[in-house]
Structure formats: C-alpha cells, structure tokens
C-alpha cells in the first residue's frame, strides 16, 4: 500500500522470534536484500548469546534463552542463507550513494548512536563514504545529519526499544 521502491533489512533476522526458518525464507523469497547482524554472527558461531552489550539486565536471561532456542532449531537452509549475507551493501538511492550495515561500517556491535561525538563519527564514516547511511542494531529509529550525510537508524520490526510496539520502518 505504501508503494515502496525496495525493502532492505539491517540484520538481526533471527534470535528472538519463534520462526527463524520461516522469517529467512519469507525475506529471501521476496527478494529483500540486507546484511548480517550480531544475531546472525552469533548463531553461525554457535554462541550462547548474541552478545548484546547494552541489553536490559532484567530481560537478558529471557533473551538469551530465546536466542539459544533459535540456535538449536534453525535449519541448514536458513544457516546457509545467513552465511551468504554480506557485512555491508553499497547501493544507490535516487542517485545518492547509500551504505547499508547493521551497527556501524566497521563492527556489528559498535552502533552509530545519536550521542556519538562528531570526531568519532568522522572516523567511522571514512570507512564507507556515502551520502546516506542506513543501519539498525539500536532497535529504535532516528535521523541525524552529519556534514552532508544522512544517518538513518531503522527502527525494529520485531523488537522495538522505543516504546512503540508497532512495526517500525
């Protein structure tokens, strides 16, 4: 209904939802392109936890249990598809260079947070020059302009941290 030109994802497709195989199949079958997040990396490594450093300590045990459940049930085809996800994608959007990644251009954990100082942001963005940076990891949306670049943190589809339970995009 929104007549979008394309749908992209910024990772963390698995780990907390009860349908890892179905989720990955739906996105793959629909031609949705995207990148891997810390949940995909942890799942493929067989880790006990996705390693979220900024998680609410009260929720952490339940989230880690959900992650282990997913890790133990994700099928071979799902794992193969997740292994094929790139760290980042360089795309074009209406003539502008767009860089898509999970948290930052250099790491699936180090987020481009709203509070990140300008000089730190300069150093990180030099790794992937673009006019638009699209990412996730924080599970809450925001838009920040830095020099002439737009940083867009996509909110969460399945686990918002912004107090709004609706799907974010």
């Amino acid at each position: 209904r929104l007549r979008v030109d394309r749908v992209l994802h910024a990772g963390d497709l698995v780990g907390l939802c009860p349908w890892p195989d179905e989720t990955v199949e739906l996105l793959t079958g629909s031609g949705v392109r995207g990148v891997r997040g810390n949940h995909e990396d942890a799942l493929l490594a067989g880790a006990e936890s996705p390693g979220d450093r900024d998680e609410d300590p009260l929720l952490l045990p339940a989230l880690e249990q959900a992650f282990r459940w997913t890790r133990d049930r994700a099928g071979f085809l799902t794992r193969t598809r997740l292994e094929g996800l790139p760290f980042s994608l360089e795309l074009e959007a209406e003539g502008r260079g767009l860089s898509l990644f999970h948290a930052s251009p250099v790491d699936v954990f180090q987020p481009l947070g709203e509070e990140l100082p300008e000089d730190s942001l300069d150093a990180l963005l030099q790794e992937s020059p673009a006019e638009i940076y699209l990412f996730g990891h924080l599970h809450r949306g925001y838009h920040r302009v830095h020099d002439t670049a737009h940083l867009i943190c996509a909110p969460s589809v399945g686990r918002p941290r912004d107090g709004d339970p609706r799907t974010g995009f």
Side-chain angles (χ1 to χ4, degrees):
R1 294 185 318 220
L2 296 176
R3 300 178 190 194
V4 299
D5 293 324
R6 82 181 104 170
V7 176
L8 303 168
H9 73 78
D12 284 356
L13 303 178
V14 298
L16 300 176
C17 65
W19 303 285
D21 296 336
E22 295 83 351
T23 300
V24 173
E25 170 63 29
L26 175 67
L27 292 173
T28 302
S30 300
V32 175
R33 295 181 66 195
V35 296
R36 72 178 189 274
N38 58 295
H39 284 243
E40 286 80 25
D41 279 358
L43 176 91
L44 295 170
E48 291 291 311
S49 163
D52 290 324
R53 300 176 193 141
D54 63 341
E55 195 52 70
D56 180 340
L58 296 175
L59 292 176
L60 194 57
L63 297 173
E64 289 183 345
Q65 180 181 15
F67 176 82
R68 288 190 299 273
W69 183 94
T70 299
R71 182 202 60 202
D72 294 343
R73 285 165 181 79
F76 176 79
L77 184 57
T78 295
R79 292 170 189 271
T80 300
R81 288 174 169 159
L82 294 177
E83 285 173 353
L85 289 174
F87 175 82
S88 63
L89 285 173
E90 305 307 318
L91 306 164
E92 189 175 293
E94 296 190 17
R96 294 180 175 194
L98 183 145
S99 183
L100 173 68
F101 44 82
H102 180 64
S104 82
V106 298
D107 189 277
V108 293
F109 287 104
Q110 182 180 6
L112 297 181
E114 295 166 279
E115 72 291 340
L116 196 64
E118 296 292 314
D119 56 340
S120 298
L121 194 54
D122 281 335
L124 287 170
L125 297 182
Q126 287 178 9
E127 298 298 321
S128 180
E131 294 171 83
I132 301 169
Y133 296 91
L134 180 59
F135 52 96
H137 188 64
L138 298 174
H139 296 254
R140 65 182 186 282
Y142 80 85
H143 175 217
R144 175 179 178 180
V145 178
H146 174 74
D147 292 331
T148 61
H150 291 265
L151 285 75
I152 302 168
C153 184
S156 178
V157 170
R159 186 166 179 270
R161 290 184 182 174
D162 60 4
D164 185 344
R166 296 175 299 171
T167 294
F169 59 92

